Amino acid sequence: RLVSKDGRCNIEFGNVERSRFVFLIDIWTTILDLRWRYKMTIFISAFLGSWFLFGLLWYVVAYIHKDLPEFNPSMNHTPCVENINGLTSAFLFSLETQVTIGYGFRCVTEQCATAIFLLIFQSILGVIINSFMCGAILAKISRSKNRAKTITFSKNAVISKRGGKLCLLIRVANLRKSLLIGSHIYGKLLKTTITPEGETIILDQVNIEFVVDAGNENLFFISPLTIYHIIDKNSPFFHMAAETILQQDFELVVFLDGTVEATSATCQVRTSYIPEEVLWGYRFAPIVSKTKEGKYRVDFQNFSK
């Protein structure tokens, strides 16, 4: 299948002519799309690398100014940075400067302008690195893709009569009490077709319209909904039958778009059904009931039954 049950797309790109440099131009999206292990590696490397690089620069400043103990500075010698005795202490001063710890043991003096300029430059660059990396982590955590994990579709689709019409029905549920605002649901039927000219089109897409009783726009998505597609003469399922549906070669991809109520970010959930997952002549078991206390109860044990 092209789309897995959890919405991931099974596709790879081969022989892409564009240079990978184009992905570095859009570095923000590239960082956000990385997996967590790569993102954390870049996060740690960015900070450790900058600390070590500036540690080397602070060591060079101390070396040029002859502040290190091996130069035996005189008692009245004023160093560029107090108490830098080697590469390790220079690294510690770089760390303290960039993360603004300020232990008070090592500090820049007004003796040399190079040290003052380096202090300003590292402070500004440290703020930029910190803002970018922390922003990337926060954006990764708050992406609406995670909200999509709390939207679930039924394992199977069914074909049965609804309102006197033959329909394909799918059940979808929101596992959170917070709503998806402005929800819209639709489908695509993917199949291989041969044109009158003899051209074979793989993954040819046909629109599938899904509705609920109140329409397919602005769903009140507080409880599980059963969406349905009417199988009429305009439907690609019209020429299928219970005896032949398993011999068909198609994939039905269902999409649910909406806006997350808590963050106002757009969200898309998708799943797919192949012929073996479309059951003809079945209907879904009821899952909504009313308790004695007057509350509505949803039994998710029967969600896909």
Side-chain angles (χ1 to χ4, degrees), residues 226-239:
T226 301
I227 61 173
Y228 59 92
H229 163 71
I230 300 175
I231 302 178
D232 54 17
K233 292 183 178 180
N234 298 321
S235 171
F237 293 96
F238 184 73
H239 299 288

Side-chain angles (χ1 to χ4, degrees), residues 156-160 162 167-171 226-228 284:
N156 296 97
V158 300
I159 294 179
S160 61
R162 185 184 182 97
C167 299
L168 183 142
L169 300 97
I170 296 172
R171 181 173 275 172
T226 301
I227 61 173
Y228 59 92
F284 288 113

Side-chain angles (χ1 to χ4, degrees), residues 42-62:
I42 294 176
F43 182 87
I44 295 172
S45 300
F47 283 103
L48 287 179
S50 62
W51 296 339
F52 184 72
L53 175 62
F54 280 100
L56 288 176
L57 295 177
W58 286 116
Y59 179 80
V60 170
V61 170

